[in-house]
Amino acid sequence: MEYTALRLIVGLLRVLPRNAARAVGAGLGTIVGKLAGKLSSAGEQNLQIAFPNMSATERHAILQKTYRNLGWLLAEFCQMSKYSPEFVRREVMRYEGLEHYQAAKAKGKGVLVLTGHLGAWELSSFVHSLLGEPMGMVIRRLDNPLVDNFVNSIRCLHGNRVLHKDDFARGIIKAMHRGEAVGILMDTNMTPPQGVFVPFFGVPACTGSGLARIARKTGAAVLPGFLLWSDEESRYVLHFGEELQLQKTDDAETDALANTALFARVTEDYIRRYPDQWLWLHRRWKTRPEGEPPIYKRRSTQTEPALPASRTAKQSELV
């Protein structure tokens, strides 16, 4: 039933002109936003943690755009199998900082693209591959194998490869030895030992350290890459930042912690620049350091999330 429903939605939105499909997607996102009480509650809590001085009106506006963006992303996914390179260049996106990606790849040791659920993450690797730069993607398997196979068949139309999270390290290391690129979403909640606690909006967040460890082992270049919507241009811009300078000492664990903190800080910087394009609905701070109480409370018992004890008063003042 899930697979049939997905195929129906994809088929219906695919036959529409792109702008019409995006309008339908935005409408669906708005409807979901009005019905998604639990998700919206988590989004409210996350915004209160990240931007404690932000007004309730501003938080509400950002959450509404979050649902709109999800609708847009659904529409793009349904449409993208019919995109051509010429159409993408003319209507969908442009590059900014592509030279950073090209310089990193030219080194021959592989490229690890630091990215997250910001902007149009599902579309970014697809258009990059369509324009001649296929890459690997670290993806969690979807629970429904029919849906998983269908979604991956679209993702990989132009040479992308899926690396599943349950065995991604070996695949990434092989890709780096071949001088390829792999994108890794670094903004989801993890649990130890795969995750380490590093600051994210001034609050310790359990963050995957695999990217830092693989970069150290292979010597691969790491640089940020995010496909972000530009209201001024009415299209997406695929931003590639400069290669990040990683710490490398004789202590592998210290390096993993320091470089994971760097990745979280870079991701946070992008989110601060584009706060209405991040997926605020994810419970990013769910895993807590030992001894700290849970952050996420039921809305009926707590309207304002208690900041973790590890967050300082100075950090709490940051916006």
Side-chain angles (χ1 to χ4, degrees):
M1 291 177 63
E2 289 176 342
Y3 173 71
T4 301
L6 176 63
R7 290 300 300 262
L8 179 62
I9 292 171
V10 171
L12 290 173
L13 289 181
R14 188 179 188 278
V15 300
L16 295 175
R18 176 172 177 256
N19 287 341
R22 282 170 58 87
V24 171
L28 291 174
T30 300
I31 293 172
V32 170
K34 293 182 181 300
L35 300 176
K38 186 175 181 180
L39 284 175
S40 294
S41 177
E44 282 273 358
Q45 289 181 292
N46 287 336
L47 282 164
Q48 290 167 13
I49 291 168
F51 300 107
N53 295 334
M54 183 179 285
S55 70
T57 300
E58 291 172 307
R59 293 196 302 268
H60 178 75
I62 285 178
L63 284 181
Q64 292 305 303
K65 288 185 177 180
T66 297
Y67 288 110
R68 180 206 64 183
N69 293 341
L70 286 173
W72 280 352
L73 190 54
L74 171 64
E76 296 289 359
F77 178 82
C78 297
Q79 291 267 309
M80 63 191 192
S81 63
K82 67 180 185 181
Y83 290 168
S84 67
E86 295 75 19
F87 181 80
V88 165
R89 292 190 183 98
R90 185 178 69 251
E91 302 288 343
V92 180
M93 58 79 71
R94 69 170 177 85
Y95 284 108
E96 185 170 295
L98 179 61
E99 67 275 9
H100 301 314
Y101 174 85
Q102 293 171 330
K105 196 170 182 184
K107 292 183 177 182
K109 292 187 176 182
V111 180
L112 295 167
V113 179
L114 167 66
T115 190
H117 295 86
L118 178 68
W121 64 89
E122 192 69 62
L123 181 63
S124 61
S125 59
F126 182 88
V127 294
H128 197 44
S129 69
L130 180 60
L131 297 180
E133 291 291 347
M135 61 192 303
M137 304 172 291
V138 178
I139 302 292
R140 184 185 71 82
R141 294 181 192 272
L142 299 176
D143 295 334
N144 186 323
L146 292 174
V147 172
D148 189 62
N149 290 335
F150 175 65
V151 170
N152 288 335
S153 71
I154 295 178
R155 287 167 170 164
C156 300
L157 275 174
H158 302 287
N160 283 339
R161 294 187 304 110
V162 168
L163 305 174
H164 290 293
K165 279 190 174 182
D166 49 10
D167 188 30
F168 77 95
R170 188 181 309 170
I172 295 179
I173 291 172
K174 288 181 179 179
M176 296 303 99
H177 288 161
R178 294 191 294 262
E180 298 173 355
V182 174
I184 303 180
L185 297 155
M186 280 286 293
D187 58 349
T188 56
N189 180 70
M190 298 291 288
T191 56
Q194 290 80 14
V196 295
F197 286 98
V198 296
F200 189 59
F201 285 94
V203 178
C206 196
T207 306
S209 61
L211 173 57
R213 298 179 191 280
I214 291 172
R216 188 180 193 276
K217 181 179 180 66
T218 63
V222 181
L223 70 162
F226 297 93
L227 183 64
L228 300 163
W229 178 255
S230 169
D231 285 327
E232 293 79 12
E233 301 181 39
S234 295
R235 62 174 171 173
Y236 292 101
V237 179
L238 181 48
H239 299 259
F240 282 113
E242 295 182 4
E243 179 181 347
L244 301 178
Q245 300 304 307
L246 307 186
Q247 174 176 304
K248 189 170 183 179
T249 68
D250 293 332
D251 190 330
E253 290 304 313
T254 298
D255 290 347
L257 185 63
N259 291 327
T260 301
L262 170 63
F263 302 153
R265 186 165 65 251
V266 170
T267 304
E268 178 185 328
D269 288 344
Y270 274 90
I271 296 170
R272 286 185 179 277
R273 289 165 56 192
Y274 303 92
D276 59 345
Q277 297 194 44
W278 192 50
L279 187 64
W280 291 100
L281 311 178
H282 172 65
R283 293 193 292 174
R284 180 65 183 91
W285 291 276
K286 179 180 178 181
T287 302
R288 305 309 312 135
E290 186 175 356
E292 279 202 6
I295 284 181
Y296 299 101
K297 305 291 186 180
R298 290 185 178 179
R299 200 169 181 83
S300 59
T301 60
Q302 182 175 330
T303 57
E304 296 286 327
L307 291 174
S310 54
R311 182 170 188 167
T312 66
K314 183 177 180 180
Q315 289 169 329
S316 298
E317 294 172 358
L318 293 176
V319 177

